[in-house]
């Protein structure tokens, strides 16, 4: 289950980008198809990794990117849900381009509960 190591790397990344005292509510990542990431497995790995950490309440959103194919004959590039498709020019062997991306897209954070407003009590 390689999702676990991905999630651990992701957690390090999130922690690097999170100022101290800020609660992370949601983490969004984009993963290329070459990663063969399964969303369900990612969620499980995330839950088991963040429990007992500052990220325990953060949601993980995984966006699986389509294949980016390039035709060796005519050079056309396009996005495809399918890896094995023919190009519009008739070439039957378009090649995947990249697809190994794993990007932290966004972090939703809530403002830290600041110092209590002085109420004048006393
Ligand atoms: Zn082509």
């Amino acid at each position: 289950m390689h999702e676990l190591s991905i999630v651990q790397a992701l957690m390090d990344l999130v922690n690097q980008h999170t100022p101290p005292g800020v609660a992370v509510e949601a983490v969004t990542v984009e993963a290329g198809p070459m990663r063969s990431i399964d969303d369900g497995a990612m969620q499980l790995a995330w839950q088991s990794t963040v429990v007992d950490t500052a990220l325990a309440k953060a949601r993980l959103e995984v966006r699986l990117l389509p294949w980016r194919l390039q035709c060796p004959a005519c050079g056309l590039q396009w996005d495809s849900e399918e890896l094995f498709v023919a190009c519009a020019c008739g070439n039957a062997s378009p090649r995947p381009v990249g697809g190994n991306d794993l990007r932290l897209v966004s972090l939703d954070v809530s403002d830290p509960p600041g110092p209590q407003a002085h109420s004048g009590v006393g």
Side-chain angles (χ1 to χ4, degrees):
M1 179 155 140
H2 68 310
E3 278 83 2
L4 204 53
S5 56
I6 293 174
V7 161
Q8 274 156 1
L10 189 61
M11 251 186 77
D12 289 345
L13 205 58
V14 170
N15 286 330
Q16 282 169 26
H17 286 82
T18 310
V22 170
V24 177
E25 294 182 337
V27 176
T28 306
V29 294
E30 280 181 352
M34 209 80 114
R35 291 268 177 176
S36 311
I37 281 177
D38 178 73
D39 187 29
M42 278 293 279
Q43 298 297 337
L44 280 176
W46 178 257
Q47 295 302 332
S48 63
T49 305
V50 299
V51 69
D52 294 335
T53 74
L55 294 173
K57 288 184 178 152
R59 278 180 297 113
L60 176 66
E61 184 179 332
V62 181
R63 290 186 198 155
L64 301 176
L65 299 174
W67 290 99
R68 183 81 183 159
L69 300 178
Q70 179 169 29
C71 175
C74 69
L76 183 70
Q77 277 197 22
W78 74 99
D79 291 335
S80 170
E81 297 295 324
E82 303 283 331
L83 178 55
F84 299 104
V85 292
C87 176
C89 77
N91 186 289
S93 318
R95 289 183 301 232
V97 181
N100 204 25
D101 315 270
L102 185 67
R103 275 200 301 271
L104 183 59
V105 181
S106 70
L107 282 176
D108 293 352
V109 298
S110 65
D111 290 330
Q116 295 295 317
H118 291 287
S119 60
V121 175

